[in-house]
Amino acid sequence: MSKARLLLIEDNPRIQLANKDMLELLDYEVSVAMNLDEARACIAVQPPDVIVLDIMLPDGSGLDFLQELRRNSGLPVLLLTALSTTEDTVRGLSLGADDYLAKP
């Protein structure tokens, strides 16, 4: 059985590396993108099975990208972000995220 393919969209290099390493230990095949342009390119080449998406990215909002994804695909999306209020969580889920996890 092949590994599940995951796209991690995170602009902080330290957080990206730590999450990538942990996900690979959990037996995921992990691709990474530092911004939304890189994420779009990764998806065009080989759509992942799931996306882990930061909200605050250098070239746009992860929430806008989530809405773009929802118009074009049903890929599962987990928002992993520093935004941790109840309002942030409700907004992310109402825009179509499958789950929402605040960074510690």
Side-chain angles (χ1 to χ4, degrees):
M1 180 175 216
S2 64
K3 294 181 179 184
R5 291 182 321 277
L6 186 143
L7 174 58
L8 174 62
I9 307 168
E10 169 62 60
D11 64 317
N12 181 307
R14 292 177 58 197
I15 294 171
Q16 184 190 81
L17 180 60
N19 287 336
K20 181 180 187 293
D21 288 348
M22 183 57 64
L23 290 162
E24 288 175 341
L25 284 173
L26 294 169
D27 214 28
Y28 289 95
E29 178 184 318
V30 182
S31 298
V32 295
M34 295 289 286
N35 57 53
L36 298 175
D37 284 340
E38 288 180 14
R40 287 183 187 97
C42 287
I43 292 168
V45 171
Q46 184 175 29
D49 297 311
V50 65
I51 295 175
V52 177
L53 175 61
D54 191 7
I55 291 177
M56 297 180 294
L57 294 162
D59 59 344
S61 166
L63 294 176
D64 292 340
F65 186 64
L66 172 63
Q67 290 179 296
E68 178 184 322
L69 287 169
R70 287 296 169 247
R71 285 190 298 271
N72 300 312
S73 78
L75 287 171
V77 177
L78 166 68
L79 292 175
L80 178 61
T81 178
L83 301 176
S84 61
T85 67
T86 300
E87 292 81 14
D88 293 323
T89 304
V90 169
R91 182 163 185 232
L93 294 172
S94 69
L95 291 174
D98 293 282
D99 209 343
Y100 192 104
L101 183 62
K103 294 176 185 174

